[in-house]
Amino acid sequence: MKKNEFATFIAYIGMFAIAILVGIFVVGKTITANQQDLNGLPAPLLIILAIALGILLNALIIEQAHLVGAKAGGYKILSWTCLGLSFKRNKEEKFKFSFSQFEGLTGETKVYPTDVEKNSMRASIVFPLLCFLLEVIVCVVLISLSKGRNTILYIFSVIDLAIGGMIYLYNYFPARLDAETDGYRLVLLNKPVNKLAYNEMLLAQYKVSRGIPVGEGKVYEEVTEFTAQFNL
């Protein structure tokens, strides 16, 4: 088993554990004890709706935070995709809507630097974490206020928090999984040479997508995961 395959396995086991523990010991027990407080809504339908809302809300939050963080870091947005819904910048520099595949769990924001030496992905990596912290605070408050008073709101808040925990566990796992995660970038981009090589690689990818000659790029003597990718 390759290193990234093992890391992916561990990440998914962690996500599965969160889902099982919350489902059985929180959601299941709450619904069983409060059937009369569901306002006639079947429990399976309530759970399905809560999961769908939790996935949609967390996906929108994390991908929008990536977008805002990338712009704050000085990057140009090439495309923004959330759950397959995509806005792509065309050759006329206008954004067009389409359905698109993506690399990641909830979506993907593709960018290119305006200055390879000064632009930094740090804000794009950190902003989603700050948003999740705010989401955790809101959910904890709602859970505290709704417990014993509003079962539906309680269930929605618990499931949203659990889904957020699963998504962020995956996205900030400090290794490359079946996609390049923020945790993986966070570890590697702390090294200045990786930051520069990563920006060079993003710029080269942008030029290739536009049919612009890449030219003779810098060849890095120090071998890291990003410098090796760029050299190749």
Side-chain angles (χ1 to χ4, degrees):
M1 182 180 290
K2 295 180 180 178
K3 182 179 178 181
N4 66 319
E5 291 176 344
F6 179 72
T8 301
F9 175 75
I10 295 298
Y12 279 120
I13 285 293
M15 295 167 67
F16 182 73
I18 292 174
I20 293 297
L21 291 174
V22 172
I24 293 176
F25 295 105
V26 182
V27 176
K29 287 186 176 182
T30 300
I31 287 178
T32 301
N34 299 276
Q35 284 284 350
Q36 70 280 6
D37 296 329
L38 301 183
N39 297 325
L41 191 66
L45 179 59
L46 173 63
I47 293 173
I48 291 172
L49 289 174
I51 291 173
L53 182 61
I55 292 173
L56 178 61
L57 180 61
N58 280 283
L60 284 172
I61 289 174
I62 193 170
E63 297 308 328
Q64 190 62 29
H66 278 146
L67 177 68
V68 174
K71 290 179 72 68
Y75 294 84
K76 288 275 191 178
I77 307 302
L78 188 57
S79 67
W80 181 86
T81 304
C82 182
L83 299 176
L85 305 178
S86 182
F87 291 91
K88 295 183 178 180
R89 188 191 296 269
N90 60 22
K91 292 184 178 180
E92 289 74 38
E93 297 299 309
K94 295 181 179 179
F95 284 97
K96 297 292 184 180
F97 173 78
S98 64
F99 295 97
S100 177
Q101 294 181 334
F102 56 91
E103 182 181 348
L105 202 60
T106 59
E108 183 178 17
T109 301
K110 291 185 177 180
V111 302
Y112 62 96
T114 57
D115 188 319
V116 294
E117 294 186 357
K118 293 181 180 179
N119 294 164
S120 172
M121 290 295 291
R122 184 170 294 277
S124 183
I125 294 172
V126 172
F127 277 17
L129 281 175
L130 297 178
C131 289
F132 182 57
L133 177 60
L134 179 60
E135 184 182 2
V136 169
I137 293 171
V138 171
C139 284
V140 169
V141 170
L142 290 176
I143 289 170
S144 300
L145 294 176
S146 61
K147 189 174 184 180
R149 298 181 180 87
N150 189 321
T151 302
I152 293 179
L153 181 59
Y154 178 80
I155 294 298
F156 269 86
S157 300
V158 168
I159 290 180
D160 177 73
L161 190 58
I163 290 174
M166 293 165 66
I167 290 174
Y168 282 85
L169 171 64
Y170 175 94
N171 200 47
Y172 286 90
F173 200 88
R176 185 182 177 91
L177 305 180
D178 47 7
E180 189 176 282
T181 66
D182 281 330
Y184 171 76
R185 294 190 193 101
L186 187 62
V187 171
L188 293 184
L189 292 178
N190 281 325
K191 197 169 186 178
V193 68
N194 277 331
K195 173 188 169 183
L196 186 58
Y198 189 69
N199 280 341
E200 292 268 21
M201 187 166 55
L202 291 177
L203 184 59
Q205 290 171 349
Y206 164 72
K207 288 180 177 180
V208 169
S209 72
R210 290 292 188 263
I212 302 171
V214 175
E216 294 185 6
K218 177 180 179 180
V219 177
Y220 291 90
E221 294 184 2
E222 183 178 352
V223 178
T224 69
E225 293 199 40
F226 284 152
T227 60
Q229 287 181 49
F230 181 70
N231 287 346
L232 287 172

